[in-house]
Amino acid sequence: KRLHKKMEEVLKPLEWKMYGYLYIDHKSEKEVAKLMGYRTSEKNRSPGYKQIKNIKKSIIIKVKKTLDKGEIDFF
């Protein structure tokens, strides 16, 4: 819960929304794409796959930085 609270402060609104869907609500990437309103024009491609991949990468980097700084104590 402490990590989630800190991430809400650190992440941008779009990143926080996706963080909530993926890591708090445990939704799949396809469900997140549908909730975020992403579409695709490519055949056999999940909607928003590139945006979701890039935002997930950004979230993971920010979480790692926060944990490395020691701002959150898990114990």
Side-chain angles (χ1 to χ4, degrees):
K1 289 184 179 183
R2 284 185 245 153
L3 177 63
H4 296 325
K5 195 173 228 52
K6 181 65 180 174
M7 288 294 89
E8 188 172 9
E9 297 169 14
V10 173
L11 297 174
K12 296 175 185 173
L14 180 66
E15 293 171 336
W16 171 247
K17 191 174 183 181
M18 194 167 292
Y19 177 91
Y21 288 143
L22 290 170
Y23 302 110
I24 297 174
D25 299 337
H26 305 288
K27 304 246 185 238
S28 71
E29 288 186 15
K30 285 187 178 187
E31 291 173 316
V32 172
K34 193 173 195 176
L35 290 168
M36 301 290 280
Y38 292 138
R39 301 186 191 285
T40 185
S41 59
E42 298 176 53
K43 194 175 181 182
N44 299 322
R45 203 48 104 157
S46 60
Y49 76 98
K50 189 94 169 176
Q51 292 94 327
I52 291 173
K53 182 187 80 134
N54 290 335
I55 293 172
K56 274 178 70 172
K57 184 178 176 183
S58 172
I59 290 170
I60 290 169
I61 289 169
K62 289 179 181 181
V63 168
K64 284 181 180 180
K65 281 183 182 178
T66 302
L67 293 175
D68 286 344
K69 287 181 185 176
E71 295 178 14
I72 298 178
D73 185 24
F74 277 99
F75 303 105

